[in-house]
């Protein structure tokens, strides 16, 4: 028996670690050390990563965007004090679930828009003006945001929307009626538009 | 200074190791308290942790510090007999091991915790426990030998993979 085998009894039960991590998240929040809390949740458009700062929901990332990359971006742009803390995101998770089952048309949670700056922020702040179940063109959103010529910049802002679903960039389509690209993938964009049209 | 990775990765990667180190020198409940204090302190320091820090070794060192604090704190409190372990937290086989570790002399117990469970090299173990690196090696080795006897596992020792000792 090697030393390794001898000490192999020193296993740590998973449920103990889950409990300790929950306790750590609570203690961190109580001491203002939980700068970014996140969780993942299953959805019809793949597993979503949802993250929040004390100010509000800061990021929704599709699986195809890479959740690890999203967490690294948060660590760099907000703070490396990042913890998985599912209960801190209970409200937005429930609202997303209601949205996907057609029971919710708009989100009612505090948002932290710090990942979208300048004109990109102007654009994402106007996305909620596109009504549920409808679509608008990039040109229309550009006008709404006060820069009618900035159609391409609107496209970029939508593609880099830090809060997709919550701020509905999926409702913005090309002038020729085709859907245009989407951070969650073309199939996800079609699924969301179809879901909303069926409910509207 | 580079940007640190999300703290959650350190918790997931090293949480089990830190708990084993704490558990080796403390009872089950106290070990959980020390684990929480370790990661809370680490979270506070995380953004300013120097680049190229060996995160696991650093966490094991913090954990040992916190565990020693817990022992001191409890020593100052009303002395009671060895607090009963909440065996419910441990698998039966694990409990045997933790009881055997708890029965080791102080230095052996800490050397086994830091080297065999925490993965610290002997010079770092010596820095934490005092004494020479050779003494730390001896304490860890004697501790493991005692554990073999206690656990009825003293089968012939296989040849050490690293060859002879310096």
């Amino acid at each position: 028996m090697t030393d390794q085998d001898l000490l192999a009894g020193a296993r740590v039960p998973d449920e103990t670690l889950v409990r300790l991590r929950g306790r750590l998240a609570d203690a961190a929040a109580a001491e203002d050390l939980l700068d970014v809390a996140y969780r993942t949740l299953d959805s019809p458009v793949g597993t979503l990563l949802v993250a929040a700062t004390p100010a509000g929901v800061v990021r929704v990332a599709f699986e195809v965007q890479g959740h690890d990359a999203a967490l690294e971006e948060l660590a760099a742009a907000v703070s490396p004090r990042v913890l998985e803390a599912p209960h801190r995101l209970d409200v937005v998770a429930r609202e997303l679930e209601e949205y996907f089952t057609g029971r919710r048309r708009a989100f009612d949670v505090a948002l932290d828009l710090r990942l979208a700056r300048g004109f990109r922020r102007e654009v994402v702040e106007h996305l909620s003006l596109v009504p549920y179940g409808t679509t608008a063109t990039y040109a229309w959103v550009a006008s709404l945001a006060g820069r009618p010529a900035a159609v391409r910049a609107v496209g970029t802002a939508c593609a880099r929307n830090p809060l997709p679903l919550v701020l509905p960039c999926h409702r913005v389509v090309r002038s020729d009626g085709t859907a245009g690209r989407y951070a969650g993938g073309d199939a996800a964009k079609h699924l969301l538009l179809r879901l909303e049209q069926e409910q509207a | 200074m580079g940007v640190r990775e999300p703290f959650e990765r350190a918790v997931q990667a090293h949480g089990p190791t830190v708990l084993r180190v704490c558990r080796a020198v403390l009872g089950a409940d106290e070990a959980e308290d020390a684990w929480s204090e370790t990661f809370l302190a680490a979270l506070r320091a995380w953004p300013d942790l120097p680049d190229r820090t060996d995160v696991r070794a650093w966490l094991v060192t913090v954990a040992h510090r916190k565990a020693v604090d817990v022992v001191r704190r409890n020593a100052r409190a009303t002395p009671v007999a060895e607090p009963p372990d909440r065996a419910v937290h441990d698998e039966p086989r694990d409990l045997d091991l933790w009881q055997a570790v708890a029965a080791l002399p102080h230095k052996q117990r800490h050397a086994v915790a830091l080297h065999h469970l925490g993965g610290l090299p002997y010079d770092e173990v010596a820095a934490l426990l005092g004494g020479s690196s050779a003494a730390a090696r001896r304490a860890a080795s004697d501790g493991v030998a005692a554990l073999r006897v206690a656990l009825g596992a003293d089968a012939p020792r296989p040849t050490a993979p690293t060859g002879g000792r310096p």
Side-chain angles (χ1 to χ4, degrees):
Chain A
M1 188 185 247
T2 64
D3 292 352
Q4 199 116 35
D5 292 338
L6 182 75
L7 291 160
R11 283 164 305 157
V12 172
D14 285 345
E15 57 269 26
T16 302
L17 284 165
V18 168
R19 182 162 42 79
L20 285 174
R21 285 167 56 196
R23 222 165 96 177
L24 174 64
D26 289 343
E31 300 208 17
D32 286 331
L33 291 172
L34 185 48
D35 296 341
V36 180
Y38 77 91
R39 65 167 287 171
T40 55
L41 63 133
D42 293 333
S43 87
V45 291
T47 307
L48 299 172
L49 177 113
V50 188
T53 67
V57 181
V58 71
R59 183 81 166 104
V60 174
F62 295 100
E63 208 168 1
V64 292
Q65 294 177 289
H67 290 171
D68 282 346
L71 289 172
E72 275 160 24
E73 188 196 334
L74 285 163
V78 181
S79 162
R81 290 189 181 121
V82 178
L83 283 177
E84 186 173 8
H87 295 312
R88 304 260 142 207
L89 295 134
D90 278 349
V91 174
V92 65
R94 192 178 60 239
E95 292 195 1
L96 281 165
E97 199 183 300
E98 289 167 355
Y99 170 78
F100 283 117
T101 51
R103 290 176 290 140
R104 172 170 291 275
R105 296 175 169 224
F107 291 87
D108 186 22
V109 288
L111 302 181
D112 181 342
L113 287 173
R114 77 174 83 188
L115 295 180
R117 295 193 190 278
F119 184 61
R120 280 177 52 209
R121 180 162 181 160
E122 287 288 312
V123 171
V124 298
E125 282 180 330
H126 283 86
L127 290 172
S128 301
L129 299 177
V130 186
Y132 183 93
T134 70
T135 57
T137 63
Y138 292 104
W140 188 78
V141 174
S143 307
L144 209 56
R147 280 177 58 186
V151 178
R152 189 178 287 269
V154 167
T156 305
C158 286
R160 296 174 64 190
N161 175 13
L163 290 162
L165 300 167
V166 175
L167 297 176
C169 54
H170 58 275
R171 292 178 201 149
V172 186
V173 299
R174 290 209 288 250
S175 305
D176 64 5
T178 59
R181 291 181 59 200
Y182 187 55
D186 295 350
K189 188 164 188 171
H190 284 294
L191 186 149
L192 295 171
L193 292 176
R194 205 164 51 239
L195 166 86
E196 293 190 2
Q197 274 152 18
E198 282 166 7
Q199 299 294 329
Chain B
M1 187 163 122
V3 173
R4 297 228 64 89
E5 64 174 2
F7 187 70
E8 178 66 29
R9 287 195 192 154
V11 179
Q12 293 196 8
H14 308 301
T17 297
V18 166
L19 189 57
R20 280 190 286 266
V21 170
C22 294
R23 185 66 183 84
V25 295
L26 297 168
D29 287 343
E30 293 173 325
E32 295 193 2
D33 291 345
W35 188 96
S36 298
E37 288 179 28
T38 298
F39 278 103
L40 199 59
L43 176 62
R44 191 175 283 115
W46 189 245
D48 302 316
L49 191 67
D51 288 349
R52 293 197 297 276
T53 299
D54 177 337
V55 172
R56 186 184 66 159
W58 177 66
L59 286 170
V60 166
T61 308
V62 175
H64 187 252
R65 177 75 254 157
K66 295 293 177 190
V68 169
D69 287 348
V70 168
V71 170
R72 288 210 182 120
R73 214 155 56 211
N74 291 350
R76 276 200 301 272
T78 321
V80 287
E82 185 81 350
D85 269 329
R86 286 253 302 276
V88 51
H89 293 183
D90 299 309
E91 305 276 335
R93 192 166 76 96
D94 298 345
L95 192 59
D96 288 345
L97 174 71
W98 295 131
Q99 282 172 345
V101 171
L104 293 176
H106 179 270
K107 188 156 185 179
Q108 290 180 19
R109 184 180 186 180
H110 284 250
V112 167
L114 290 169
H115 177 74
H116 291 285
L117 295 172
L120 289 193
Y122 290 117
D123 55 344
E124 291 180 33
V125 176
L128 290 173
L129 299 183
S132 67
S133 173
R137 180 195 294 270
R138 210 155 45 237
S141 159
D142 291 349
V144 168
L147 289 178
R148 283 177 185 283
V149 173
L151 297 170
D154 53 347
R157 214 189 152 103
T159 317
T162 49
R165 297 183 171 186

